[in-house]
Every structure is written in C-alpha cells, then in structure tokens.
Amino acid sequence: MDSLATDSEDWSRARAGDRNAFALLVDRHEDRLFRRAVRVLTTREDAKDAVAIAFFELWRHRAAVRLVDGSPLPWLLTTVVHAARNLERSTRRYRVALSGIRPENVPAPRTPDESGVLAALRRLSRREQEVLVLVVLEEYSEAETAVALGIPAGTVKSRLARAKARLRTDMEGLV
C-alpha cells in the first residue's frame, strides 16, 4: 500500500478522533518535518519543538485541514516552517531581553581600552547604550529595538541620534 493511500485512510480515522491513526501519521512524517525544521532553526531542540507544534496544530485543526493528494504532509510542512520562524523570533527576543540583565553588585568586566572607545561608550546613559548596542552592534531595526525595549520607535531614534552625537564629539578629541 502506498504512503498517500495510507495517509488518506489514517487521516479519515484521525479526523474522527482515532488517536492511534493520528499516531501512525506522526510516526510516518515526523522525520521529514524535523529535517525541514532543522533547515530553518539554529538548534535541534527548537526543531523538535517546531515539529511538536505542527502536529499539535494538525490535531487541533483536524476538522478544517485540507489534504493535498490525500495527505496532510504539505499542510504539516508549511505549519512546521511557520512554527520554526515563530520560535526563532521568540528566541531572538529573549536573547535581547536577557542581554540587558546583569546581576546587581556585579561590576561589568573591565579590559584595557587603549583607544578610549569603551570609555566613551560608558559615558553614555544606560538608555542610550541599550539603543546603540541593539541598533548598531546587534543590527536590529529601530522598530525591533523599540519592541524589545518597550519604548516608542521615535524614542529609539532620538536616543540613537543623541548617542551618536556624543560619541562623535568624544571621539573627535581622541583622534
């Protein structure tokens, strides 16, 4: 029996609520979905999560999912890519949020700064430093930075402009 005919039969039973038939679909397609998710994500653990999300969504929306040539595989492939992208965005947001957290009473690491650049950066306000790091060094857009910091986009622009102007003034004295 070919895979499509089996998919169609198992899907009919799964739509009716047969968990065993759904488990057969999971067993049949999870490796392919995992390979697809790994291409989109940077970690294998996130790829596993994306596959789990895709199957969860398939079960949740089983009454509305349309088959292609008798198989839910195309729907699953599309869903796993969407789940993977959502996971990647979430991970990026968490990294940005966590990068600004430092335990209290723990000084920032110090290294010799012969050029004076780090000293000039330290003279900026904490808010200006946050914006400058995210936009210039981490290459986030101003809109993404605004969301990450929970401030309006206009505030990001003004803090960035102030930070650049101060750095320019400080650096002119060093050159």
Side-chain angles (χ1 to χ4, degrees):
M1 184 178 293
D2 74 8
S3 177
L4 292 179
T6 306
D7 267 4
S8 183
E9 292 167 9
D10 289 340
W11 181 245
S12 294
R13 292 182 14 235
R15 279 191 70 182
D18 184 341
R19 292 174 189 255
N20 291 329
F22 190 79
L24 292 171
L25 288 167
V26 170
D27 290 342
R28 190 175 305 124
H29 297 301
E30 70 181 330
D31 289 342
R32 185 159 179 194
L33 293 178
F34 180 75
R35 287 190 306 270
R36 179 71 167 180
V38 165
R39 287 187 208 125
V40 176
L41 292 161
T42 54
T43 65
R44 294 176 63 81
E45 291 77 22
D46 285 348
K48 291 176 187 176
D49 289 346
V51 171
I53 290 167
F55 280 115
F56 174 76
E57 291 299 312
L58 179 66
W59 178 259
R60 203 166 69 99
H61 296 290
R62 66 187 180 275
V65 170
R66 293 161 129 188
L67 302 184
V68 175
D69 294 329
S71 177
L73 183 60
W75 188 92
L76 282 166
L77 289 167
T78 301
T79 303
V80 82
V81 168
H82 289 298
R85 288 183 181 147
N86 287 340
L87 286 168
E88 192 70 27
R89 276 192 297 274
S90 294
T91 301
R92 190 171 44 243
R93 277 190 228 112
Y94 287 125
R95 275 190 233 123
V96 168
L98 291 175
S99 70
I101 298 174
R102 188 173 54 217
E104 291 185 33
N105 302 323
V106 176
R110 302 253 182 210
T111 58
D113 179 21
E114 296 173 12
S115 67
V117 174
L118 292 177
L121 285 170
R122 279 192 214 103
R123 285 191 290 273
L124 296 174
S125 73
R126 181 187 57 79
R127 292 176 174 174
E128 291 169 342
Q129 287 177 18
E130 289 172 342
V131 169
L132 190 76
V133 166
L134 292 175
V135 174
V136 176
L137 301 178
E138 296 294 330
E139 298 179 348
Y140 286 97
S141 70
E142 290 175 358
E144 290 170 326
T145 301
V147 170
L149 296 176
I151 59 177
T155 303
V156 170
K157 284 182 179 233
S158 61
R159 287 181 187 172
L160 184 61
R162 270 195 314 273
K164 286 180 176 180
R166 286 186 181 156
L167 283 176
R168 192 175 306 113
T169 301
D170 284 356
M171 298 310 292
E172 285 173 356
L174 295 174
V175 177

